[in-house]
Structures are given as structure tokens and as C-alpha cells.
């Protein structure tokens, strides 16, 4: 007769239960301030799809969070993380986002920390590329979706119910949310019964969903113990330390010029050769019917504005320009870009928030390092806006 050894299985179950029932406070004590500081530049999905590290960051007055997308990983000596390390101003930039973290993803993140952002100064970088007609799609939403933050929203009683229902309706458009039976049932119940669940199925699901929520919190704590991917930061403190803004613009121009090597779009030469040249002949006038005038992204972005205003945050918004030379080459109409700059500026200012509109730099050489990502000279303008916002409520950047 075949014998089965249950010892390893029993040990595994005991270890699992032991890890499961370790008090959260005990795990939190194992996460050092140095670990949180390290996460300021890791751009780790484990960090921004979780709650704990960001919560620790928001509690610490030294951090100045920057929320954005893929431009945050474009490190060079002028990047805020490098510039303010060389030129301390009393804060440390903390980067939150990566490619695809558009308005809806960032809204979920803000909602998860809504009780911590009152009076908190932060930067929110807006990219025109988000504002195509369909807004964020599943290809970009799914990898950045946080199940924990989705459950946070389900149990959140501290934000405007109208805003919560609007966000839930939007989230239910995505399969990754609809496939989660417990979450989607709670979401649909919230829409159908704003004052609370009334059906027996809702009452049965809610405690199970609550247990799952707490397991996700525990998982986030354990993930927070480990470091994220370490990026190459391309630091050069001697280049940027103690320089005037005018000198920094000149140095950034020289820095970018060396790396562009005279290509027609003023982008990194390696990017031009690998990404642009192979498709350049096909892209001439390819986008002649494109526009950023109409997009569901404007509504997603409005939810962020509404939440930050409701909770008394102190954000500064930065509008990134597109690469004018490349967009002209592809035929993307100038009016289709300008309408975005005007709409987003009006939208932000209508809520009383300051905005740094960098749209006038579409044709400014070495403002971007490729066709859409700010870098080099562009970061100098962001650095200046951040320094002024940290000191005042109404920054102005020339």
C-alpha cells in the first residue's frame, strides 16, 4: 500500500496560518524608513498598487510626491529626484506611477489615501497621449490595476457618495473588475442601493469581501518588506548643483544636443535609430485626422480634481507638451493638440488649482527626449515649478 507523507503539508499550513495571523503592526515595524526612502525612485508596481508604503510616505512631511506615468522613469541629471538631491530644498521627491497609470488608476490611488492628502503638496503630471477618444484601455489599465485599492474603494465611506458611484460605474467597464464576483457584486449593489446593501446575497457577500480585503492588506504588507527594481538614475550632481535656472536651461540644452546628435526631431539618437527610422516613412501624415478634443479621459481626470478638492489637497498640475516636429510630420493637426491644452487648463483652473502649462514648448529643442516624454530641458521647468510650489501656493514658471 502506498504511504502518503502529510508532514510537509501540515508544516506548510501551519506556516501559512502563522504568517496570516501575524499582527499588521509587527510587520510594519520591520519596514524601515530607509526602505520607504528607497522606494522614492523604484517606481515599483508593488508600491503604487499597494497602500502601506504610500501611507508611510504621506505621513512624512519631507516627501513631495509626483504622480504621473512613464515620463517619471526618464532619469537624467535634471530629473527632480536627481536635481533636488544635489540642491536640497527641504523635501524628497517620491515618484508614483509608470506607463499606463492614467487618471482612473491614479484616482483609485488617491481614493485609497483620501484621509491623508489634506494639506499635502503634490505634483500631478498630465500627458496629452492619455486623451485619445477611448481613454485608457485594458492593455494599459489591467497591468496597473490594484485589486487592493479597488476593495478600498468598495469599503470607503469617507468620499462623496456621488463621486464614489461615478468611479464604480467607470471601473465596471473593465473585465478585470467584472471577473471578480465579490467585488463586482458590491459595486453593483453600491450603484443600486446607495444607502447600503438590501438583498440577502449582498449581505452574504459583504463579509466574504471584507475578509478578502484584509488578506490583500496583509499581502501588501509582506510585499512592502522587499525592494523594487533599482533604476539607473544617471546622476551628475556637479552638473546641476548651485546653478541658476538660466544656467540649467543652457546645460540641459547642451546635454540633450550631445545625445540627439542632430537628428530631425531632437530626440535621443538611439531612440531615433531604433524606434523612429524603421517606421518614419509610414508615419508621414498618418495622424492627419487625429485629435485630443474628445475623450472619456477628461471625465476620469475630473474625478481626480473633485477628490483632491474635496479632501483639501494642495496639488500643482503640469501639462506636458508633445514633440511638435514629430507631430507635424505625422500630420497630427495643431488645433487637435491646442484644444487639449486649452481644455485641460480651463478644467484645472475651474477647480482653483494652479497649473504649469508647458504647451508653448512643443518646438523647444531638447525639451523632450523622444516623441512624448519630458526630459533634459523639460525637467528644469518642472524642478522650478516644484521648488516654487513647495514655498508658495501660486507658482509661476517662465
Amino acid at each position: 500500500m502506498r504511504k502518503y507523507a502529510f508532514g510537509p503539508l501540515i508544516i506548510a499550513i501551519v506556516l501559512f496560518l502563522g504568517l496570516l495571523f501575524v499582527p499588521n503592526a509587527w510587520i510594519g515595524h520591520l519596514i524601515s524608513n530607509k526602505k520607504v526612502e528607497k522606494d522614492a525612485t523604484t517606481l515599483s508596481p508593488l508600491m503604487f498598487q499597494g497602500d502601506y508604503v504610500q501611507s508611510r510616505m504621506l505621513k512624512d512631511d519631507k516627501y513631495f510626491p509626483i504622480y504621473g506615468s512613464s515620463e517619471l522613469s526618464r532619469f537624467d541629471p535634471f530629473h527632480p529626484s536627481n536635481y533636488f538631491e544635489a540642491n536640497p530644498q527641504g523635501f524628497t521627491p517620491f515618484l508614483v506611477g509608470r506607463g499606463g497609470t492614467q487618471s482612473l488608476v491614479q484616482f483609485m490611488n488617491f481614493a485609497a489615501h483620501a484621509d491623508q492628502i489634506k494639506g499635502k503638496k503634490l505634483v500631478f503630471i498630465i500627458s496629452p497621449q492619455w486623451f485619445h477618444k477611448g481613454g485608457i484601455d485594458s492593455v494599459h489599465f489591467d497591468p496597473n490595476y490594484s485589486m487592493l485599492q479597488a476593495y478600498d474603494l468598495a469599503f470607503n465611506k469617507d468620499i462623496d457618495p456621488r463621486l464614489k458611484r461615478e468611479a464604480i460605474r467607470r471601473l465596471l467597464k473593465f473585465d478585470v473588475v467584472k471577473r471578480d464576483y465579490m467585488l463586482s457584486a458590491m459595486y453593483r449593489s453600491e450603484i443600486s442601493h446607495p444607502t447600503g446593501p438590501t438583498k440577502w446575497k449582498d449581505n452574504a457577500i459583504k463579509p466574504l469581501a471584507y475578509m478578502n480585503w484584509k488578506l490583500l492588506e496583509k499581502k501588501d504588507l509582506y510585499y512592502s518588506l522587499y525592494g523594487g527594481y533599482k533604476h539607473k538614475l544617471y546622476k551628475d550632481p556637479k552638473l546641476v548643483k548651485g546653478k541658476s535656472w538660466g544656467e540649467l536651461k543652457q546645460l540641459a540644452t547642451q546635454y540633450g544636443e550631445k545625445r540627439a546628435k542632430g537628428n530631425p526631431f531632437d530626440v535621443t539618437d538611439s531612440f531615433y535609430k531604433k524606434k523612429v527610422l524603421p517606421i518614419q516613412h509610414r508615419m508621414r501624415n498618418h495622424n492627419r485626422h487625429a485629435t485630443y478634443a474628445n475623450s472619456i479621459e477628461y471625465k476620469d481626470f475630473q474625478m481626480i480634481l473633485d477628490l483632491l478638492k474635496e479632501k483639501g489637497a494642495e496639488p500643482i498640475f503640469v501639462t506636458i507638451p508633445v514633440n511638435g516636429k514629430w507631430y507635424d510630420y505625422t500630420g497630427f493637426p495643431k488645433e487637435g493638440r491646442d484644444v487639449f491644452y486649452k481644455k485641460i487648463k480651463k478644467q484645472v483652473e475651474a477647480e482653483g488649482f494652479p497649473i504649469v502649462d508647458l504647451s508653448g514648448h512643443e518646438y523647444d529643442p531638447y525639451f523632450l527626449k523622444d516623441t512624448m516624454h519630458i526630459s533634459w530641458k523639460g525637467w528644469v521647468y518642472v524642478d522650478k515649478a516644484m521648488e516654487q510650489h513647495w514655498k508658495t501656493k501660486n507658482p509661476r514658471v517662465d
Side-chain angles (χ1 to χ4, degrees):
M1 181 179 291
R2 191 173 182 180
K3 294 182 179 180
Y4 295 91
F6 292 101
L9 178 61
I10 293 171
I11 292 172
I13 292 173
V14 170
L15 287 173
F16 172 75
L17 292 175
L19 291 171
L20 185 62
F21 290 104
V22 172
N24 288 356
W26 292 10
I27 306 171
H29 283 310
L30 298 175
I31 303 170
S32 67
N33 290 333
K34 286 186 177 180
K35 169 62 172 64
V36 178
E37 188 172 347
K38 180 182 177 183
D39 277 347
T41 56
T42 61
L43 294 167
S44 169
L46 296 179
M47 176 271 293
F48 71 73
Q49 290 175 324
D51 288 347
Y52 184 78
V53 171
Q54 288 191 72
S55 181
R56 284 272 293 269
M57 176 270 292
L58 290 168
K59 287 178 183 177
D60 194 328
D61 291 338
K62 80 172 185 178
Y63 290 113
F64 194 173
I66 309 176
Y67 298 86
S69 52
S70 51
E71 73 285 337
L72 296 179
S73 64
R74 271 50 186 184
F75 291 100
D76 60 51
F78 308 93
H79 187 287
S81 296
N82 291 330
Y83 174 77
F84 288 110
E85 183 177 339
N87 299 276
Q89 296 295 323
F91 63 82
T92 299
F94 196 104
L95 312 178
V96 185
R98 66 170 183 172
T101 51
Q102 297 177 205
S103 302
L104 185 59
V105 175
Q106 294 288 21
F107 171 84
M108 293 173 65
N109 196 357
F110 284 130
H113 300 94
D115 61 340
Q116 292 185 283
I117 57 178
K118 183 176 181 179
K120 187 71 179 181
K121 293 196 174 187
L122 59 92
V123 182
F124 193 95
I125 298 178
I126 313 164
S127 296
Q129 294 78 19
W130 298 354
F131 292 81
H132 56 82
K133 187 175 182 179
I136 191 169
D137 56 21
S138 294
V139 173
H140 294 91
F141 179 80
D142 291 4
N144 295 302
Y145 166 72
S146 168
M147 185 183 294
L148 171 58
Q149 291 171 5
Y151 274 84
D152 288 340
L153 183 63
F155 288 98
N156 193 322
K157 296 180 180 180
D158 297 325
I159 64 174
D160 182 352
R162 176 202 61 80
L163 181 58
K164 180 178 176 179
R165 291 194 295 273
E166 183 181 354
I168 284 173
R169 289 190 184 95
R170 182 75 173 103
L171 288 167
L172 282 171
K173 300 291 184 182
F174 294 91
D175 288 340
V176 69
V177 176
K178 290 188 286 188
R179 286 195 299 265
D180 187 328
Y181 176 75
M182 287 189 294
L183 178 66
S184 58
M186 285 194 67
Y187 275 5
R188 284 191 287 269
S189 177
E190 183 77 27
I191 296 171
S192 302
H193 312 290
T195 57
T198 59
K199 297 180 180 179
W200 69 269
K201 285 185 178 180
D202 298 333
N203 290 324
I205 287 170
K206 191 169 184 178
L208 294 174
Y210 183 84
M211 289 175 60
N212 193 41
W213 181 36
K214 293 303 168 183
L215 286 172
L216 289 168
E217 286 184 342
K218 183 77 72 174
K219 180 180 176 182
D220 175 42
L221 273 167
Y222 281 116
Y223 279 171
S224 298
L225 289 169
Y226 303 99
Y229 176 77
K230 189 174 182 180
H231 289 270
K232 187 174 181 180
L233 302 183
Y234 297 96
K235 297 180 182 181
D236 190 351
K238 291 182 180 179
L239 179 65
V240 298
K241 186 175 179 60
K243 303 295 193 302
S244 69
W245 295 116
E247 289 172 326
L248 286 168
K249 291 173 188 176
Q250 291 178 356
L251 289 167
T253 297
Q254 295 167 9
Y255 191 91
E257 188 176 19
K258 289 179 181 178
R259 284 148 184 81
K261 298 181 180 179
N263 66 66
F265 303 110
D266 298 325
V267 300
T268 305
D269 192 55
S270 58
F271 177 84
Y272 177 70
K273 290 176 179 176
K274 292 178 182 179
K275 300 293 185 180
V276 176
L277 270 179
I279 62 168
Q280 186 171 342
H281 65 288
R282 300 198 306 270
M283 292 303 296
R284 183 182 290 275
N285 294 323
H286 179 76
N287 294 324
R288 60 188 179 278
H289 300 301
T291 181
Y292 292 140
N294 303 300
S295 173
I296 194 172
E297 191 74 26
Y298 289 104
K299 290 185 178 180
D300 291 348
F301 179 64
Q302 185 62 46
M303 291 194 298
I304 286 180
L305 294 174
D306 291 345
L307 181 60
L308 294 180
K309 186 173 183 178
E310 176 193 340
K311 294 304 175 184
E314 295 186 14
I316 179 176
F317 293 87
V318 180
T319 306
I320 303 299
V322 302
N323 185 317
K325 291 182 179 180
W326 173 251
Y327 269 60
D328 288 349
Y329 180 85
T330 66
F332 197 116
K334 188 72 167 65
E335 57 270 23
R337 290 127 59 178
D338 288 343
V339 68
F340 158 76
Y341 300 129
K342 292 174 183 177
K343 284 183 72 170
I344 212 70
K345 189 172 187 291
K346 182 178 179 180
Q347 199 172 354
V348 170
E349 291 180 339
E351 304 303 331
F353 294 131
I355 183 169
V356 177
D357 179 7
L358 299 177
S359 60
H361 297 275
E362 277 197 350
Y363 300 98
D364 196 346
Y366 319 118
F367 205 86
L368 310 173
K369 74 179 302 181
D370 50 38
T371 57
M372 64 179 72
H373 295 113
I374 195 168
S375 193
W376 305 331
K377 192 174 179 180
W379 281 134
V380 175
Y381 286 79
V382 175
D383 295 337
K384 184 177 182 181
M386 288 181 64
E387 182 176 316
Q388 292 183 349
H389 187 57
W390 188 257
K391 297 175 180 178
T392 68
K393 289 190 176 182
N394 297 297
R396 301 182 67 178
V397 181
D398 300 322

